[in-house]
Amino acid sequence: MLRTYNCGTLNINNVSEKVILSGWVQKTRDLGGMTFVDLRDRYGITQLAFSMDVNTDLCTDARKIGREFVIQAEGVVIERTSKNKNIPTGEIEIEVSGLTILNASKTPPFTIEDETDGGDEIRMKYRYLDIRRNPIKENLMLRAKVSTETRNFLNAEGFIEVETPYLIKSTPEGARDFVVPSRMNEKQFYALPQSPQTFKQLLMVAGIDKYYQIVKCFRDEDLRADRQPEFTQIDCEMSFIEQEDVLNMFEGLTRHLLKEVKGIKLTEFPRITYDDAMALYGSDKPDIRFDMAIVEINAECKGKDFGMFDNSEAVLGINAKGCANYTRKQLDKLINFVKTPQVGATGLIYCKYKEDGTSKSSVDNFFDEDARKAWAAKAGCEDGDLLLIMSGGLDKTRKALGTLRLHLAEELGLRNPEVFAPLWVLDFPLLEWDVDTERYHAMHHPFTSPKPDDIAKLDTNPAAVRANAYDLVMNGNEIGGGSIRIHDKALQQLMFKHLGFTDKEAKEQFGFLMEAFEYGAPPHGGVAFGFDRLCAIMGGQESIRDFIAFPKNNSGRDVMIDSPSDVDEEQLNELNIKLI
Amino acid sequence: MLRTYNCGTLNINNVSEKVILSGWVQKTRDLGGMTFVDLRDRYGITQLAFSMDVNTDLCTDARKIGREFVIQAEGVVIERTSKNKNIPTGEIEIEVSGLTILNASKTPPFTIEDETDGGDEIRMKYRYLDIRRNPIKENLMLRAKVSTETRNFLNAEGFIEVETPYLIKSTPEGARDFVVPSRMNEKQFYALPQSPQTFKQLLMVAGIDKYYQIVKCFRDEDLRADRQPEFTQIDCEMSFIEQEDVLNMFEGLTRHLLKEVKGIKLTEFPRITYDDAMALYGSDKPDIRFDMAIVEINAECKGKDFGMFDNSEAVLGINAKGCANYTRKQLDKLINFVKTPQVGATGLIYCKYKEDGTSKSSVDNFFDEDARKAWAAKAGCEDGDLLLIMSGGLDKTRKALGTLRLHLAEELGLRNPEVFAPLWVLDFPLLEWDVDTERYHAMHHPFTSPKPDDIAKLDTNPAAVRANAYDLVMNGNEIGGGSIRIHDKALQQLMFKHLGFTDKEAKEQFGFLMEAFEYGAPPHGGVAFGFDRLCAIMGGQESIRDFIAFPKNNSGRDVMIDSPSDVDEEQLNELNIKLI
């Protein structure tokens, strides 16, 4: 037996017990007569004590043990003289009578501590050492807990977990597929799924009624920061439901997760339309942990001979509460920020509403105190506030101001990662215009149902057609999205037509789905959560990488196993392919 | 709202309630004045009643509805006059006042009944209709239940579910990998994992201590019957354990699953060595629901001038209890069976021990009553039994007799799918000789630890080296297997050498693992269960296909979505490959 207890369990109640522990050496402290070793495993740290007086040989051996050695220690639990109240095992130590080195360790390339000296690249190369660090280990444990609680909730609601295939069919729609050459089917390829979308819809046609799966998905995209070529989704679908049923179900899941994993009881769970989200926050995933909504001040700004406002489609502002005391330097930094490519604006107007009741703007030449008071009235500015104004095209200005809003909130400490503000964004547009291909794309995916009232507009004004599509936003991050699907063959064909598919293309790629719709497809809809992001947000972070055990870098490489790699020509021959 | 109840819920307590149901039309019965529709969903069937007298139009509409139409019905729950005690909803029906056709259906290509008229190919092409059938739906629900209970057990035991990557590195060892060309890493390839073996070992090095994952694995093999290119594993690994700890843990899991999923309390959980399994059952995965063990009768058979026995390495028999009354025709069928390629034997000797105390064999010319009695004594044959004898090379004869044993048991109804007989097979050989490549292969995998006492034999007698490897067998099927792993770099290098790897090859393919072993790798081991097979066995079946939602056929094709398929040359160009 390699251990009778783990390193996080023993306490004052175990005193006098003979025990065996195994684990890693966190550190060794040599105090002359005594040597102390902190023995670590997943569960905690227990102090081992060696005495030169009691057992000189053993104590001498202990002094030779390096960090991260794997050892087994046998001994008796004794009460410590100097207790450590910060850890559960801090009242006891082990008086060691037997020591075995189970495995040696070279000096690790970075310190295995909560705060490490290792950079990203080296941490990824030695990820197995990085995971020994508490923060990463706890992220992975949180992830496991989120998946367990997701399953608990969905199982209790009657969902069935069904595994859908990974070797599926390539479709040119959407992002790029990873493809897998088939050896047995010469010159043909499987694709890895970007999502189990069509399969979950087929499961609804199959009468499974409520389906879920926590499942890997794949996208061969150029990796922007914090994207992974393989990522995990909580994928769900329900039959005989309307949008309201789906929203309520997954509001329930979100509440359950926050409660069980974080101990937080969500109160509000507001909803907003896409149009309102864009108007109020310049974003389809607003962070509503704080207010600072966008206010339109066209009437108050135009017609005062200030050309920049007069020539703009929209003049919009946000009220930075209590920021009237911003210095020239702080304001210049904001102005420089909006000029970065990330925002892409040409400038920023400000107006300080001072504590003494007067105001001062950067355009006082054009706008007198009364005009500035009118802005304040519209934007809800009080004494001590700072109004920030941008103008230009409506959509662009909204987005720019939305980005500035987040930036300011970050600066002002309004984005507390321990506060959770969920939000449903509803009524997304069905289509979006793609300037490159000069055609409409499905904003969600081609299986999303248009709102019945808007179907007629597909021909006359496609951009105005709203979809039965919704996103779940948490703290300014999209953590889930879904829609009510089309379940009628004729409507699905119409959608494919509007998306520029020929009949032949639609049939080749999605013929199986349209055929399935002819055999009694029920009304259905669902949602998919980005599981990596959900875990990161719940862990109080925005980057997903440290919530994935073995992530890939921005070139899609696993630097630990050094993959992808070359393969033998012989193997390629078997697959009927060659390199070019 | 599309329904207020599902179709499996309403009963006599709901009488007079106004309800809305949605589902599929299982069948329509037109009885003149009344029309009855069986409305089906995942949860059950509820009878809808339409009366010509009460509502002529509605009843006329109901008569036009075909099988598998999706409808919504509104009405009042009433008590049935003619009750059906076989279903939970059998005491009530719905007096329908409103009917909506949610979707029509063409006539399905096969009947959606427990026993269908559809052949395998058509069932696979329309799998979404096949899943509507109770047997398939229940298989998928059983699978979900097995996975839930697996997680419940392992979570309670402190295992953490960790997702390992799907895009990993190709290695020539073992079965053929599926490879995935990388677009971003020119001319390089990922591989899909045959198992997360190296990653789970790295998670042990990382201190995760107890890991599991229910995970897809991939093998590009020519598909023998009942193999799938993608399959699911319950993958587990533990640190600071010995073989005994692993066996106990997964005996516990097996007991838990049988209890929670099948309501069966397993009593015995025997263990046998590989050598004994081969000697007694001619198989490394013996079915011990019945006895019929192989008995060696060399001494009783040789030296009687019967050349076939005298010239054989081994003469072995099995006792077919109570089969002395087998007819000539039955015996001939057995003889023909052993001559099939599946068994590959040249013949079969039999001896009937009759109820009257005399015996009769097919070799009475060489063996008199006394000799035959000696066989009986050795083989435990009593009056009424049939002894079946084969001879030849030891290993071959054992296997042949093992196959005959299973065949006979099947005939005799001794393989009851509702009886569950687990068995650990221990002490597998470390290596097996491969006649094609003329070298030793790892019987389990290259990371399996040899028994410490046998390491010295690696040089002198490699075939005699036993491994710390074990299989979990259930009803004659291997449902799991595992081993204690090597955690020492030098021993791992020695193993690679014996497996014919050059140092360079070992480093290129598994350098990351051997490097990890230098930073404090703990003793560890684990197990992997074949999840598809486990579900099939628990469902009382041997074929895995109907326990997989969307299986592939023997050519690795998904005939429903018609995959694999061609991909654009443009896409191949991006991947720097072309077809040859």
Side-chain angles (χ1 to χ4, degrees):
Chain A
M1 183 169 285
L2 282 157
R3 64 182 175 199
T4 57
Y5 287 92
N6 65 47
C7 297
T9 303
L10 295 169
N11 59 47
I12 202 79
N13 298 317
N14 301 96
V15 165
S16 302
E17 211 174 310
K18 202 163 165 59
V19 299
I20 306 173
L21 297 185
S22 289
W24 286 264
V25 172
Q26 178 71 25
K27 63 179 171 205
T28 310
R29 289 182 309 284
D30 178 4
L31 305 180
M34 294 290 291
T35 292
F36 296 101
V37 172
D38 281 353
L39 191 66
R40 187 199 68 230
D41 65 13
R42 189 186 104 195
Y43 311 91
I45 284 181
T46 301
Q47 183 165 291
L48 308 178
F50 299 83
S51 158
M52 284 303 271
D53 290 346
V54 176
N55 192 331
T56 314
D57 287 352
L58 204 60
C59 193
T60 310
D61 286 349
R63 287 177 183 182
K64 292 180 197 148
I65 299 173
R67 281 184 178 235
E68 302 306 320
F69 273 48
V70 184
I71 63 169
Q72 184 190 38
E74 205 171 335
V76 173
V77 182
I78 57 171
E79 188 170 356
R80 277 203 218 179
T81 44
S82 140
K83 297 196 170 64
N84 178 350
K85 297 283 181 196
N86 297 323
I87 57 171
T89 63
E91 295 193 278
I92 57 94
E93 63 193 13
I94 313 298
E95 193 175 57
V96 179
S97 55
L99 178 67
T100 310
I101 294 177
L102 297 174
N103 218 339
S105 175
K106 298 204 292 194
T107 304
F110 51 87
T111 55
I112 315 285
E113 307 273 1
D114 289 6
E115 297 289 331
T116 184
D117 56 354
D120 265 8
E121 272 293 306
I122 194 104
R123 282 177 47 215
M124 290 303 141
K125 181 163 162 56
Y126 298 92
R127 184 66 160 177
Y128 45 87
L129 298 178
D130 199 29
I131 295 172
R132 285 187 196 163
R133 296 171 52 236
N134 280 324
I136 308 296
K137 179 192 77 180
E138 280 159 15
N139 287 350
L140 297 182
M141 290 178 73
L142 176 117
R143 185 182 175 109
K145 174 94 171 146
V146 177
S147 86
T148 296
E149 290 302 336
T150 299
R151 288 190 166 95
N152 286 350
F153 178 87
L154 294 173
N155 288 342
E157 291 287 348
F159 284 76
I160 302 177
E161 186 161 26
V162 180
E163 294 170 56
T164 53
Y166 279 95
L167 296 172
I168 66 163
K169 187 172 177 167
S170 187
T171 57
E173 182 67 11
R176 223 183 256 105
D177 286 325
F178 281 105
V179 297
V180 182
S182 166
R183 183 179 51 85
M184 289 208 287
N185 298 274
E186 228 175 273
K187 304 186 182 189
Q188 296 194 314
F189 292 77
Y190 301 100
L192 300 179
Q194 296 185 30
S195 94
Q197 183 61 34
T198 50
F199 286 95
K200 71 174 170 177
Q201 293 192 241
L202 291 173
L203 286 172
M204 294 304 103
V205 179
I208 288 299
D209 204 77
K210 288 180 184 158
Y211 143 93
Y212 81 98
Q213 192 182 188
I214 301 183
V215 61
K216 274 280 176 75
C217 302
F218 304 85
R219 274 183 210 166
D220 185 11
E221 289 179 303
D222 296 322
L223 300 176
R224 285 180 280 158
D226 215 32
R227 286 271 195 133
Q228 290 280 319
E230 51 177 308
F231 55 97
T232 304
Q233 235 172 246
I234 306 173
D235 194 49
C236 305
E237 198 80 1
M238 304 166 74
S239 290
F240 299 117
I241 45 78
E242 289 161 339
Q243 177 167 304
E244 189 62 25
D245 302 301
V246 181
L247 299 185
N248 287 333
M249 180 64 73
F250 294 98
E251 175 173 327
L253 172 61
T254 309
R255 286 181 185 280
H256 176 85
L257 291 179
L258 266 294
K259 182 156 167 292
E260 297 302 324
V261 179
K262 301 294 291 183
I264 289 173
K265 198 162 177 297
L266 287 177
T267 49
E268 315 249 306
F269 215 114
R271 300 176 182 187
I272 192 174
T273 65
Y274 172 87
D275 287 347
D276 284 350
M278 295 309 292
L280 289 171
Y281 305 105
S283 166
D284 60 358
K285 45 182 183 188
D287 187 344
I288 58 164
R289 281 175 294 186
F290 58 97
D291 189 3
M292 216 191 289
I294 296 171
V295 180
E296 181 256 297
I297 43 175
N298 281 333
E300 293 74 10
C301 288
K302 292 197 178 186
K304 305 278 176 163
D305 287 339
F306 183 52
M308 199 173 109
F309 286 172
D310 287 348
N311 299 328
S312 289
E313 185 184 4
V315 188
L316 309 173
I318 55 174
N319 178 9
K321 294 297 291 178
C323 294
N325 57 353
Y326 260 40
T327 61
R328 181 73 230 172
K329 200 171 160 196
Q330 282 175 302
L331 290 166
D332 282 346
K333 273 179 76 179
L334 289 184
I335 291 164
N336 286 335
F337 173 74
V338 303
K339 289 180 178 169
T340 57
Q342 185 194 347
V343 190
T346 48
L348 177 68
I349 310 291
Y350 64 83
C351 181
K352 295 176 170 187
Y353 295 95
K354 302 185 189 171
E355 295 291 355
D356 65 7
T358 65
S359 65
K360 163 119 198 49
S361 83
S362 51
V363 285
D364 281 358
N365 290 350
F366 300 89
F367 298 91
D368 59 17
E369 188 73 36
D370 282 350
R372 301 198 298 268
K373 284 273 187 303
W375 298 349
K378 191 75 176 281
C381 293
E382 298 171 305
D383 293 350
D385 292 352
L386 173 70
L387 180 64
L388 296 167
I389 303 174
M390 294 173 80
S391 63
L394 180 63
D395 291 350
K396 196 159 174 281
T397 307
R398 281 174 168 175
K399 282 182 192 163
L401 214 48
T403 308
L404 177 63
R405 176 180 174 269
L406 289 180
H407 177 76
L408 254 176
E410 195 73 53
E411 270 193 14
L412 296 169
L414 300 175
R415 306 192 72 188
N416 181 353
E418 289 304 315
V419 170
F420 294 89
L423 175 72
W424 282 114
V425 180
L426 308 179
D427 300 349
F428 271 78
L430 182 70
L431 303 168
E432 64 185 343
W433 182 253
D434 186 76
V435 284
D436 291 339
T437 56
E438 297 202 315
R439 64 183 180 90
Y440 281 104
H441 277 284
M443 194 154 182
H444 190 51
H445 53 51
F447 315 109
T448 296
S449 173
K451 288 201 177 280
D453 292 346
D454 291 1
I455 292 178
K457 287 190 220 153
L458 271 172
D459 284 316
T460 53
N461 186 6
V465 177
R466 290 164 309 155
N468 277 323
Y470 32 81
D471 273 1
L472 181 57
V473 172
M474 179 79 84
N475 295 1
N477 292 275
E478 180 204 326
I479 58 168
S483 63
I484 301 301
R485 326 298 183 189
I486 296 167
H487 66 281
D488 176 77
K489 186 183 173 185
L491 182 56
Q492 187 65 68
Q493 278 176 319
L494 183 70
M495 269 304 293
F496 283 134
K497 199 192 83 182
H498 279 284
L499 294 170
F501 284 72
T502 65
D503 282 353
K504 186 163 168 286
E505 285 166 349
K507 187 160 183 240
E508 264 175 23
Q509 292 168 37
F510 300 110
F512 61 95
L513 186 67
M514 287 194 288
E515 189 170 12
F517 284 175
E518 296 189 294
Y519 290 99
H524 62 286
V527 77
F529 284 78
F531 186 64
D532 306 295
R533 175 90 38 215
L534 174 66
C535 292
I537 301 289
M538 289 185 71
Q541 293 178 39
E542 303 232 327
S543 165
I544 62 174
R545 197 174 287 187
D546 278 342
F547 290 81
I548 297 170
F550 301 104
K552 293 185 175 54
N553 72 9
N554 281 343
S555 319
R557 293 199 70 82
D558 181 327
V559 295
M560 180 183 71
I561 64 171
D562 193 22
S563 161
S565 61
D566 298 338
V567 304
D568 286 350
E569 204 176 307
E570 195 185 330
Q571 195 173 355
L572 298 183
N573 281 337
E574 278 197 318
L575 297 170
N576 301 294
I577 58 175
K578 67 185 254 190
L579 297 173
I580 50 173
Chain B
M1 183 170 284
L2 281 156
R3 65 184 174 199
T4 57
Y5 287 92
N6 65 46
C7 296
T9 304
L10 296 170
N11 60 46
I12 201 76
N13 298 316
N14 301 96
V15 165
S16 301
E17 210 175 312
K18 202 162 165 59
V19 299
I20 305 173
L21 298 184
S22 290
W24 286 264
V25 172
Q26 178 71 25
K27 64 178 169 206
T28 310
R29 289 183 309 285
D30 177 5
L31 305 180
M34 294 289 292
T35 292
F36 295 101
V37 172
D38 281 355
L39 191 67
R40 187 198 69 228
D41 65 12
R42 191 186 104 195
Y43 311 91
I45 284 182
T46 300
Q47 182 165 293
L48 308 179
F50 300 83
S51 158
M52 284 303 270
D53 290 345
V54 176
N55 192 330
T56 313
D57 287 353
L58 205 61
C59 193
T60 309
D61 286 351
R63 287 178 183 181
K64 290 180 197 148
I65 300 173
R67 284 187 176 233
E68 302 306 321
F69 272 48
V70 184
I71 63 171
Q72 184 190 37
E74 205 170 336
V76 173
V77 182
I78 57 171
E79 187 169 357
R80 277 203 219 179
T81 43
S82 140
K83 297 196 168 66
N84 178 351
K85 296 284 181 194
N86 297 323
I87 58 171
T89 62
E91 295 193 277
I92 56 94
E93 63 193 11
I94 313 299
E95 193 177 57
V96 178
S97 55
L99 177 68
T100 310
I101 294 176
L102 298 173
N103 218 337
S105 175
K106 296 205 292 192
T107 304
F110 52 85
T111 54
I112 315 286
E113 307 272 1
D114 289 7
E115 297 288 332
T116 184
D117 56 355
D120 265 8
E121 273 294 307
I122 194 103
R123 281 177 48 216
M124 290 304 140
K125 181 162 163 53
Y126 297 93
R127 185 62 160 180
Y128 45 86
L129 298 179
D130 200 28
I131 295 172
R132 286 187 196 164
R133 296 171 52 236
N134 280 322
I136 309 296
K137 179 191 79 182
E138 281 159 14
N139 287 350
L140 297 181
M141 291 177 73
L142 177 118
R143 184 182 177 109
K145 174 94 172 145
V146 176
S147 85
T148 296
E149 290 302 335
T150 299
R151 289 191 165 96
N152 286 350
F153 179 87
L154 294 173
N155 287 343
E157 291 287 348
F159 284 76
I160 302 177
E161 186 161 25
V162 181
E163 294 169 58
T164 53
Y166 279 95
L167 296 172
I168 65 163
K169 186 173 178 166
S170 188
T171 57
E173 183 67 12
R176 221 182 260 105
D177 286 325
F178 282 104
V179 296
V180 182
S182 166
R183 184 179 50 86
M184 288 207 287
N185 297 273
E186 228 175 273
K187 303 186 183 188
Q188 294 194 315
F189 293 76
Y190 301 101
L192 300 179
Q194 297 184 30
S195 94
Q197 183 61 34
T198 50
F199 286 95
K200 71 175 171 177
Q201 293 193 240
L202 291 173
L203 286 172
M204 294 304 102
V205 179
I208 288 298
D209 204 77
K210 288 179 184 160
Y211 143 92
Y212 81 98
Q213 192 183 187
I214 301 184
V215 62
K216 274 282 175 76
C217 302
F218 304 86
R219 274 181 210 167
D220 185 12
E221 288 178 304
D222 296 321
L223 299 176
R224 286 180 278 157
D226 216 31
R227 285 271 195 130
Q228 290 280 319
E230 52 178 308
F231 55 98
T232 304
Q233 235 171 246
I234 306 172
D235 194 50
C236 306
E237 198 79 2
M238 303 166 73
S239 290
F240 299 117
I241 45 78
E242 289 161 338
Q243 177 168 305
E244 190 63 24
D245 301 302
V246 181
L247 300 185
N248 287 333
M249 181 63 74
F250 294 99
E251 175 173 328
L253 172 60
T254 310
R255 286 181 184 281
H256 176 84
L257 291 179
L258 265 295
K259 183 157 165 293
E260 297 301 323
V261 179
K262 301 292 291 181
I264 290 172
K265 199 163 177 298
L266 288 177
T267 49
E268 315 250 304
F269 215 116
R271 299 175 182 188
I272 191 174
T273 64
Y274 172 88
D275 287 348
D276 284 349
M278 296 309 291
L280 289 171
Y281 305 105
S283 167
D284 60 358
K285 45 182 183 190
D287 187 345
I288 59 163
R289 280 174 294 186
F290 58 97
D291 189 3
M292 218 192 286
I294 297 169
V295 181
E296 180 258 297
I297 43 175
N298 282 334
E300 293 75 9
C301 288
K302 293 195 175 185
K304 305 278 177 161
D305 288 337
F306 182 53
M308 200 173 108
F309 285 172
D310 288 348
N311 300 327
S312 288
E313 186 185 3
V315 187
L316 309 173
I318 55 173
N319 178 9
K321 293 298 291 179
C323 294
N325 56 354
Y326 260 40
T327 62
R328 181 73 232 171
K329 200 172 158 195
Q330 283 176 300
L331 291 165
D332 281 347
K333 275 180 74 177
L334 289 184
I335 292 165
N336 287 335
F337 173 75
V338 303
K339 289 179 177 168
T340 58
Q342 184 195 349
V343 191
T346 48
L348 177 68
I349 311 289
Y350 65 82
C351 182
K352 294 176 170 185
Y353 295 94
K354 303 186 190 170
E355 295 291 355
D356 66 7
T358 65
S359 66
K360 164 114 199 51
S361 84
S362 52
V363 285
D364 281 359
N365 290 348
F366 300 90
F367 299 92
D368 60 17
E369 190 71 38
D370 282 350
R372 302 197 299 265
K373 283 273 187 301
W375 297 348
K378 192 74 174 285
C381 294
E382 297 171 306
D383 294 348
D385 292 352
L386 173 70
L387 181 64
L388 296 167
I389 303 174
M390 296 173 81
S391 64
L394 180 63
D395 290 349
K396 197 160 171 282
T397 306
R398 281 175 168 173
K399 282 182 192 163
L401 214 49
T403 309
L404 176 62
R405 177 181 173 269
L406 288 180
H407 177 77
L408 253 176
E410 195 73 52
E411 270 194 13
L412 296 169
L414 300 174
R415 306 191 73 189
N416 180 353
E418 289 304 315
V419 171
F420 294 90
L423 175 72
W424 282 114
V425 180
L426 308 178
D427 300 350
F428 271 77
L430 183 70
L431 303 167
E432 64 184 345
W433 182 254
D434 186 77
V435 284
D436 292 338
T437 55
E438 295 202 314
R439 64 184 181 91
Y440 282 103
H441 278 282
M443 194 153 182
H444 189 50
H445 54 51
F447 316 108
T448 296
S449 174
K451 287 201 177 279
D453 292 348
D454 290 1
I455 292 178
K457 288 189 219 156
L458 271 173
D459 284 316
T460 54
N461 185 6
V465 177
R466 289 165 308 156
N468 277 323
Y470 32 82
D471 274 0
L472 180 56
V473 172
M474 179 79 84
N475 296 1
N477 292 276
E478 180 205 327
I479 57 167
S483 63
I484 301 301
R485 328 296 184 188
I486 297 167
H487 65 280
D488 176 77
K489 185 184 174 184
L491 182 56
Q492 187 64 68
Q493 278 177 317
L494 183 69
M495 268 303 294
F496 282 133
K497 200 191 80 181
H498 279 283
L499 293 170
F501 284 70
T502 65
D503 282 353
K504 185 165 168 285
E505 285 166 348
K507 185 156 185 246
E508 264 175 21
Q509 292 168 38
F510 300 111
F512 61 95
L513 186 67
M514 288 194 288
E515 189 170 11
F517 284 175
E518 295 188 295
Y519 289 99
H524 62 286
V527 77
F529 284 79
F531 186 63
D532 306 295
R533 175 93 35 219
L534 174 65
C535 292
I537 301 289
M538 289 185 72
Q541 294 178 38
E542 304 231 326
S543 166
I544 63 174
R545 195 173 289 187
D546 279 342
F547 290 81
I548 296 170
F550 300 103
K552 292 186 175 54
N553 73 9
N554 281 342
S555 318
R557 293 199 69 82
D558 182 328
V559 296
M560 182 183 69
I561 63 170
D562 193 23
S563 160
S565 60
D566 299 339
V567 305
D568 286 351
E569 205 177 305
E570 195 186 332
Q571 194 173 357
L572 299 183
N573 281 337
E574 278 197 319
L575 298 169
N576 300 295
I577 57 175
K578 68 185 250 192
L579 297 174
I580 50 175

